[in-house]
């Protein structure tokens, strides 16, 4: 993975977490709290897992175990 792929995944992960809040809010207005929780959960979990993966990957890069390559400009 190069640095542009890393940034792209970070934007996707944070976007999914933010999207989960919007899905919960609008679906809570339309369907109720229980359905809103069910609709929101996949977005929140996937986004959170992506962010955790990127945190671990950045930590391993800082230590020098698993490097993130520089992209070719």
């Amino acid at each position: 993975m190069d640095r542009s792929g890393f940034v792209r995944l970070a934007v996707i992960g944070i976007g999914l977490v933010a999207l989960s809040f919007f899905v919960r809010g609008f679906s809570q207005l339309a369907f109720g709290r229980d359905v809103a929780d069910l609709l929101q959960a996949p977005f929140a979990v996937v986004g959170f897992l992506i962010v955790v993966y990127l945190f671990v990957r950045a930590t391993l890069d800082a230590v020098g175990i698993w490097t993130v390559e520089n992209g070719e400009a």
Side-chain angles (χ1 to χ4, degrees), residues 14-66:
I14 293 170
L16 283 172
V17 172
L19 178 67
S20 73
F21 286 106
F22 286 109
V23 168
R24 180 184 168 102
F26 288 122
S27 61
Q28 190 171 350
L29 290 173
F31 304 117
R33 182 168 289 178
D34 294 333
V35 176
D37 288 340
L38 290 174
L39 293 175
Q40 172 233 353
F43 297 109
V45 169
V46 171
F48 179 72
L49 288 176
I50 290 173
V51 170
V52 167
Y53 166 74
L54 291 173
F55 174 76
V56 170
R57 183 76 192 262
T59 303
L60 292 175
D61 181 47
V63 173
I65 295 174
W66 191 10

